[in-house]
């Protein structure tokens, strides 16, 4: 019993020291940010808005919520979607520094209200309206002239949710949501996609020049080149990634990074790919963990019995 009492005292003071210092330091260095479950109804935006913008944001998101109640016509939405393909197509050129994303999986990856908001006013939906005095100056601003009434917005979003919502792989989710700005060298991905292999060095150099041009475009739009995400899954906590992706302004006020509008399923796909690349040994580590703990429990028990045996004549 004496040994167990000593162990209990050591464990107690270790836990007091750890939980008394680490959480306190963490709370001072990083403010707590509440997530909203990847639901985009404007609540967070209105709460964070300055007094002069609060009413504008409230009116915008009230409109979004009203449009979400409309029943969209998929057939009519298909006709509207054809206009989107002028920019969102294979081989699309950069607009304002960033290549428009493919919309093949938009209905599966993105939240319905976010899609409505991004068609109605991209700068406001992405929560980067602080960068654009005129929302038409946003690279995607012209979409506001393509869908002028609420029903046409509801129709094109209904089409996306019905026809562009197939199965998405983790890599496809990352490509659509992140890779147009963020490289991932551990996955051999740049802002142009997967890095091909080249037979001749001149071809490799030509490709590298194209990558540098693409990165300059992103720098022009974002102000600086966004970080490589190869090990971001290990560098940041899950809560930070979740809240930052949901609304970058909460963790980094004034950032140029736009909200991408992932729903919860889309976020899980992106996280799965980040984990696959940044922490590939995690499944093996989690599988071995219980056996390691069991080993220490058995070892401690045997060590206790051995100590009792060796000291049996001394007490």
């Amino acid at each position: 019993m004496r040994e167990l009492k000593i162990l209990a005292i050591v464990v107690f003071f270790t836990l007091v020291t750890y939980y008394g210092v680490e959480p306190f330091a963490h709370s001072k260095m990083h403010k707590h940010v509440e997530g909203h479950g990847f639901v985009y109804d404007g609540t967070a935006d209105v709460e964070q808005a300055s007094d002069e913008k609060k009413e504008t944001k409230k009116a915008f998101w009230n409109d979004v919520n009203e449009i979400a109640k409309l029943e969209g016509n998929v057939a009519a939405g298909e006709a509207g979607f054809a206009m989107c393909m002028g920019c969102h197509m294979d081989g699309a050129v950069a607009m304002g520094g960033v290549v428009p994303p493919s919309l093949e999986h938009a209905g599966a990856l993105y939240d319905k209200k976010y899609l409505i908001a991004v068609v109605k006013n991209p700068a406001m939906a992405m929560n980067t309206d602080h960068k654009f005095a005129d929302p038409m100056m946003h690279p995607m601003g012209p979409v506001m002239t393509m869908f002028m009434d609420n029903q046409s917005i509801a129709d094109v979003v209904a089409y996306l949710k019905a026809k562009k919502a197939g199965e998405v792989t983790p890599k496809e989710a990352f490509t659509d949501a992140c890779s147009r700005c963020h490289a991932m060298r551990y996955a051999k991905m740049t802002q142009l996609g997967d890095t091909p292999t080249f037979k001749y060095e001149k071809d490799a150099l030509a490709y590298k020049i194209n990558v540098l041009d693409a990165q300059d475009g992103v720098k022009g739009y974002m102000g600086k080149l966004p970080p490589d995400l190869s090990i971001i899954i290990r560098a940041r906590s899950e809560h930070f990634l979740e809240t930052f992706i949901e609304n970058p302004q909460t963790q980094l006020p004034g950032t140029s990074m736009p909200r991408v509008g992932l729903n919860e399923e889309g976020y899980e796909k992106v996280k799965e790919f980040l984990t696959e690349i940044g922490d590939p040994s995690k499944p093996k580590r989690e599988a071995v963990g219980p056996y390691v703990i069991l080993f220490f429990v058995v070892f401690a028990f045997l060590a206790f019995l051995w100590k009792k045996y060796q000291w049996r004549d001394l007490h």
Side-chain angles (χ1 to χ4, degrees):
M1 286 302 294
R2 183 180 180 188
E3 291 79 4
L4 292 178
K5 288 179 181 178
I6 293 173
L7 176 63
I9 291 172
V10 171
V11 170
F12 174 76
F13 281 104
T14 300
L15 292 177
V16 168
T17 302
Y18 177 78
Y19 287 104
V21 174
E22 198 279 338
F24 176 76
H26 188 84
S27 68
K28 294 299 180 184
M29 295 174 66
H30 305 284
K31 67 174 184 178
H32 180 72
V33 174
E34 286 290 344
H36 292 79
F38 297 97
V39 173
Y40 306 94
D41 58 5
T43 301
D45 293 27
V46 172
E47 288 175 355
Q48 296 161 3
S50 61
D51 290 342
E52 62 181 21
K53 285 195 171 184
K54 197 174 286 290
E55 290 304 317
T56 303
K57 285 187 178 273
K58 188 181 295 183
F60 171 75
W61 283 104
N62 282 343
D63 286 347
V64 170
N65 291 322
E66 289 302 315
I67 295 172
K69 296 176 184 175
L70 299 176
E71 184 174 352
N73 183 305
V74 175
E78 183 175 10
F81 179 75
M83 295 188 288
C84 304
M85 295 304 292
C87 298
H88 298 273
M89 59 182 178
D90 290 339
V93 297
M95 296 176 61
V98 180
V99 176
S102 165
L103 297 180
E104 283 304 303
H105 309 295
L109 289 175
Y110 305 116
D111 177 74
K112 176 183 175 182
K113 287 185 179 179
Y114 176 79
L115 289 172
I116 292 171
V118 85
V119 173
K120 187 172 178 60
N121 186 329
M124 195 76 83
M126 298 179 190
N127 211 8
T128 53
D129 50 295
H130 57 282
K131 288 180 58 181
F132 304 96
D134 179 357
M136 285 297 294
M137 298 303 292
H138 188 281
M140 198 180 158
V143 72
M144 293 190 291
T145 63
M146 294 161 51
F147 301 94
M148 301 290 287
D149 62 278
N150 291 349
Q151 187 59 54
S152 65
I153 296 175
D155 291 345
V156 73
V157 171
Y159 174 77
L160 289 171
K161 300 300 287 186
K163 301 297 183 182
K164 300 296 180 183
E167 186 62 27
V168 187
T169 67
K171 184 177 181 180
E172 288 172 335
F174 176 83
T175 300
D176 285 359
C178 311
S179 74
R180 290 169 299 112
C181 295
H182 295 275
M184 187 179 262
R185 65 181 183 277
Y186 285 8
K188 297 182 179 178
M189 296 177 72
T190 70
Q191 285 78 5
L192 298 181
D194 291 327
T195 302
T197 55
F198 298 98
K199 184 176 181 180
Y200 301 105
E201 187 176 356
K202 65 177 183 180
D203 295 330
L205 291 173
Y207 180 80
K208 189 173 182 179
I209 290 173
N210 290 335
V211 172
L212 292 173
D213 286 342
Q215 291 178 342
D216 284 343
V218 175
K219 284 181 192 174
Y221 176 64
M222 303 286 283
K224 62 184 295 186
L225 187 64
D228 185 291
L229 298 182
S230 293
I231 58 170
I232 191 69
I233 195 71
R234 302 178 74 172
R236 295 290 189 175
S237 70
E238 183 170 338
H239 179 73
F240 177 91
L241 287 179
E242 188 175 313
T243 52
F244 188 68
I245 291 175
E246 181 183 86
N247 186 2
Q249 300 298 329
T250 58
Q251 296 282 8
L252 198 60
T255 181
S256 294
M257 176 170 165
R259 168 195 284 145
V260 294
L262 286 172
N263 57 27
E264 189 165 2
E265 292 76 16
Y267 168 73
E268 291 297 330
K269 293 281 186 181
V270 170
K271 188 177 74 172
E272 185 177 342
F273 186 68
L274 292 174
T275 303
E276 177 185 331
I277 300 302
D279 195 6
S281 63
K282 184 177 181 181
K284 290 182 180 177
R285 198 167 63 242
E286 290 179 340
V288 171
Y291 295 104
V292 174
I293 293 174
L294 179 63
F295 167 79
F296 279 114
V297 170
V298 172
F299 179 81
F301 179 70
L302 293 177
F304 172 73
L305 294 180
W306 177 82
K307 188 265 179 186
K308 290 282 289 183
Y309 175 77
Q310 293 295 331
W311 288 51
R312 64 187 185 282
D313 297 328
L314 301 177
H315 292 283

